[in-house]
Amino acid sequence: MTTAFNIVLLGPPGAGKSTITEELVHQLPLTPISTGALLRAEIRARTRLGRMVAPLLEHGDLAPDSVMDRVLRASIEALDPARGILLDGYPRTMRQALGLAAMLADYDRTLHAVIAIDVADSEVVRRLSGRRMCEGAGEPFPVHIDDLSSLMRCRERGGHLVQRDDDRPKTVRQRLAVYHQQTAPLIAFYHNQGLLHRVSGAGTPADVARRTLAAINDAVPGR
Ligand code: AP5
Ligand code: MG
């Protein structure tokens, strides 16, 4: 078994998984795997896989488990075995959760902790319906329509605002429904395995990242 540690970030859409991932990878020897970002890259590149999943993402539905298993396996295979993994957005179904343990074992890895970020549905809707991506100014970054300073930052850099297709209100409602139906049951599943750590998603991203780091330190002492 390698000494690298492997962590899952679980939480509803808009919980801040990707935001926290960006903060944590500067502080921990972890390589992030964001399955949503991987799928969006396939869609942008108009690959066969991208064309297949595009309508599912647009409606707020999940991509099929078999497809996600392939995507994840290819990502893990490409990794340096000495580095741990920070999974952002995988698993999202019970089948994926069951498959993950077996897949990690194939690469001599094990799952060390699952961090569930708690955010109320009303806050999810506020964050996602107001989110725009600032594009055309280097690496795209999210801004909120109520946050004047982030809007100005985008404008000053010559960027323009684009709404993620799946951030439209109807799709956000569907993503939340799918989360409650298919992903939330994983909280009890991982609790029963002794792997679950719950973290409040309230406060600033830095607050949430700090709590998450503390939870990981608790879960993997002496790492
Ligand atoms: P994915 O891209 O993973 O989307 P998601 O998890 O549904 O939603 P987000 O990425 O928006 O949420 P997040 O928790 O990362 O929050 P973020 O940091 O961005 O997946 C997209 C789609 O791909 C899925 O719907 C599905 O179709 C498909 N897919 C992906 N994985 C799959 C799988 N395993 N199986 C099947 N299908 C799969 O933050 C959100 C916003 O809030 C940002 O604007 C951010 O700036 C802001 N924010 C973050 N933290 C805070 C804070 N503390 N306070 C205020 N604002 C904050
Ligand atoms: Mg994300």
Side-chain angles (χ1 to χ4, degrees), residues 82-113:
R83 284 187 69 83
I85 304 172
L86 185 58
L87 281 170
D88 159 17
Y90 190 103
R92 288 195 199 221
T93 65
M94 194 56 81
R95 226 211 86 193
Q96 289 181 15
L98 293 169
L100 177 62
M103 202 186 301
L104 289 174
D106 286 346
Y107 296 95
D108 218 14
R109 293 175 180 271
T110 183
L111 183 58
H112 291 79

Side-chain angles (χ1 to χ4, degrees), residues 14 16-19 34 40 88 92 131 164:
K17 300 183 295 296
S18 301
T19 305
S34 164
R40 282 188 292 280
D88 159 17
R92 288 195 199 221
R131 170 166 62 184
R164 249 172 73 165

Side-chain angles (χ1 to χ4, degrees), residues 132-208:
R132 301 291 182 274
M133 298 308 291
C134 176
E135 294 192 350
E139 191 63 25
F141 61 91
V143 303
H144 195 281
I145 52 172
D146 294 339
D147 178 5
L148 198 59
S149 66
S150 69
L151 293 173
M152 292 300 289
R153 197 164 61 242
C154 180
R155 178 180 280 201
E156 280 161 9
R157 292 180 190 181
H160 57 278
L161 301 180
V162 176
Q163 187 173 34
R164 249 172 73 165
D165 281 344
D166 59 352
D167 279 347
R168 296 175 206 287
K170 191 172 164 213
T171 312
V172 170
R173 284 196 297 278
Q174 174 64 6
R175 286 162 70 194
L176 262 174
V178 166
Y179 169 78
H180 286 298
Q181 200 179 23
Q182 301 201 51
T183 310
L186 302 187
I187 291 177
F189 173 76
Y190 284 122
H191 172 74
N192 292 338
Q193 294 189 10
L195 288 172
L196 188 78
H197 297 255
R198 296 192 88 136
V199 163
S200 162
T204 65
D207 292 333
V208 185

Side-chain angles (χ1 to χ4, degrees), residues 3-55:
T3 51
F5 60 101
N6 307 296
I7 308 287
V8 163
L9 282 184
L10 203 64
K17 300 183 295 296
S18 301
T19 305
I20 292 160
T21 294
E22 276 199 21
E23 300 242 350
L24 290 185
V25 293
H26 296 302
Q27 306 182 43
L28 297 168
L30 297 174
T31 299
I33 298 180
S34 164
T35 46
L38 290 173
L39 294 181
R40 282 188 292 280
E42 296 279 343
I43 292 171
R44 272 196 304 277
R46 296 179 200 281
T47 63
R48 196 162 151 227
L49 190 150
R51 289 198 305 275
M52 197 258 271
V53 299

